[in-house]
Every structure is written in structure tokens, then in C-alpha cells.
Amino acid sequence: MKPETLATLLAGNFVCQYAFPEAYADLVELGEAEKVDQWLQSLDRRLARLGDDGAFFVAPLQVHTNEQVAKVKTDLARFRDVYGMLVEMLNLVRLTKDGFRGVPGEYVQLAEILLKVNEDTTLVSRLRDLRIPGADARLSNNELLRKMLERLRTEGYLIISNASTETYQITGKVDHLHAVMQYLVENVPELTDTALPDADAVEDDGEDGQVDLFRAAAADVGRKGASGE
């Protein structure tokens, strides 16, 4: 149990093989995760993991007080503010990359996205409708996309893979976003119905292949659960 690993976890990070390879390697060593979990219990915390091979993170030992339950409900009610912007950003990336699923390990290159956006006025409109912090209409598509990717990096969903080519890689934290979306779709539909376009309506509009990231992520999580992964 390395102090550096504990510090990384306690800082609120999602430890995966892409974002924190050394800490991740430490946690997957036989018995190490159990030691960390036992240590965290003294802080009323536990070591959680996203699936059998996903990112590790620190979670409450249990949600048992009225205050904790109220906080969870408040966090879910703030869905659009907390996660909505990130979902919209990842969805734009999805629409520019054939076969993109938004899963850990996938690569995202600024130049590739920019080329696709510049070729499609619909994608340009989507980009300029995004609520990207620190961006305004005077910026070029290139500058807006760079700010978008940097925001995703700041939030922990991307890491820089190659700085010279402005290539990013998706981290394991995205699985947490997928899990939250899946939970909300199944349990709090009033928070997601307006954010999810009707699938039939999308087809009628001729937007074939532009599958909403929200629905696709929920489907991916559902398939994993059904297959026992």
C-alpha cells in the first residue's frame, strides 16, 4: 500500500490504467486493494471500483444518515449542471468519429474532430451551442474544440496522449459518467427525458448514426450487466 496511491485516491481521482498507471498497477496487485479498503474504513470510506477492470475511487462507507441521503438526492437533481455539459461534449466527439463508443482507452485527436466539424454545418451549430467555460462566439472552431477537449481533460475524462498532435485518450472516469447516466435513465426519468431525443424522431430527421451518447452509454452498461462482465 503505497502512500502515493492513497494520496491519489484521497484527492478524489478515478485511478485507471490510463490516467494513473502506477497507482492502478499498485491497486491490482494481489491483496493491495483489500489493504487500501481496510485502511479507508477508518475514515468511514471504502474503495470502490467501476466494474471488474475499471477505475478505482473512494466512496462513502455507506449512505445511512438523513444528511447523506439528502446530499445524494441533491446531486442527482443537479444532473444537468454537473453532467449535462460533459455529456454534450462527448456526444459531439461521438458524432465526428465513426464507431466511437466513449469508452476508456479510446483516442480523440483535435485535428480529426475539427475536419469533421468544418465539413458539417450541423456539427458547427452543435459546437457553438455548447456551454464551454471561457469560450465565446468570437473564437474559431479550432479554438472552441481545443477548449472543449481541455475542459474534458480538466474534469478527468481525458489525458494528453501526444501533445504534439493534440491527441487525447479517454480515462476510466468516463465509466462513472456512464453509470450515473444509466441510473438516471432507469430511476429518475424526469431528469433525463428532455435531454434524450426520441430515437424515432432522430431517424425521421435524417440523422442516421448520430446516436445520443446518453442512450448509447446506457445500452452499453445494460449489455455489460446482462453478460456478467
Side-chain angles (χ1 to χ4, degrees):
M1 185 170 61
K2 298 180 180 178
E4 296 86 355
T5 300
L6 290 174
T8 300
L9 287 165
L10 291 174
N13 294 301
F14 283 71
V15 176
C16 70
Q17 64 266 49
Y18 308 109
F20 301 96
E22 293 182 2
Y24 182 82
D26 183 25
L27 289 170
V28 296
E29 284 289 330
L30 184 63
E32 287 304 302
E34 289 76 10
K35 293 178 184 177
V36 171
D37 184 61
Q38 186 175 23
W39 185 87
L40 287 171
Q41 288 182 28
S42 65
L43 303 178
D44 200 28
R45 296 290 185 271
R46 63 186 175 87
L47 182 65
R49 193 177 190 186
L50 298 166
D52 295 331
D53 58 358
F56 294 91
F57 63 100
V58 174
L61 188 59
Q62 56 183 330
V63 179
H64 53 77
T65 67
N66 290 336
E67 292 79 7
Q68 288 173 321
V69 172
K71 183 179 185 304
V72 170
K73 291 182 178 179
T74 299
D75 287 344
L76 290 177
R78 291 174 56 241
F79 165 74
R80 285 190 179 88
D81 292 334
V82 176
Y83 297 106
M85 176 184 66
L86 302 173
V87 170
E88 292 168 2
M89 290 178 176
L90 287 170
N91 193 40
L92 179 61
V93 175
R94 186 185 191 91
L95 297 178
T96 65
K97 291 174 63 68
D98 294 336
F100 183 76
R101 296 176 57 210
V103 297
E106 282 191 288
Y107 291 95
V108 178
Q109 186 180 41
L110 174 61
E112 180 184 2
I113 298 174
L114 177 63
L115 180 63
K116 293 291 186 179
V117 168
N118 285 340
E119 292 176 345
D120 190 326
T121 56
T122 300
L123 294 179
V124 172
S125 296
R126 282 178 177 264
L127 170 62
R128 294 193 168 276
D129 286 342
L130 287 177
R131 299 161 293 161
I132 305 174
D136 60 53
R138 294 172 295 180
L139 297 179
S140 67
N141 292 342
N142 182 56
E143 291 169 322
L144 286 173
L145 286 170
R146 181 176 287 111
K147 282 186 173 293
M148 182 189 80
L149 294 177
E150 277 300 300
R151 182 66 182 191
L152 287 168
R153 185 190 63 80
T154 299
E155 294 288 341
Y157 295 98
L158 297 178
I159 58 169
I160 287 284
S161 175
N162 188 318
S164 63
T165 61
E166 295 186 277
T167 299
Y168 298 77
Q169 190 173 25
I170 295 180
T171 73
K173 187 177 181 180
V174 79
D175 283 337
H176 178 257
L177 183 61
H178 290 179
V180 170
M181 292 190 294
Q182 171 70 6
Y183 177 85
L184 291 173
V185 166
E186 294 180 348
N187 299 282
V188 199
E190 63 271 20
L191 290 181
T192 60
D193 284 346
T194 57
L196 298 175
D198 181 76
D200 294 332
V202 170
E203 291 179 2
D204 291 341
D205 290 339
E207 296 180 4
D208 294 336
Q210 296 188 358
V211 182
D212 186 87
L213 180 66
F214 214 146
R215 290 191 188 281
D220 285 343
V221 174
R223 283 193 294 270
K224 287 182 180 179
S227 64
E229 292 181 10

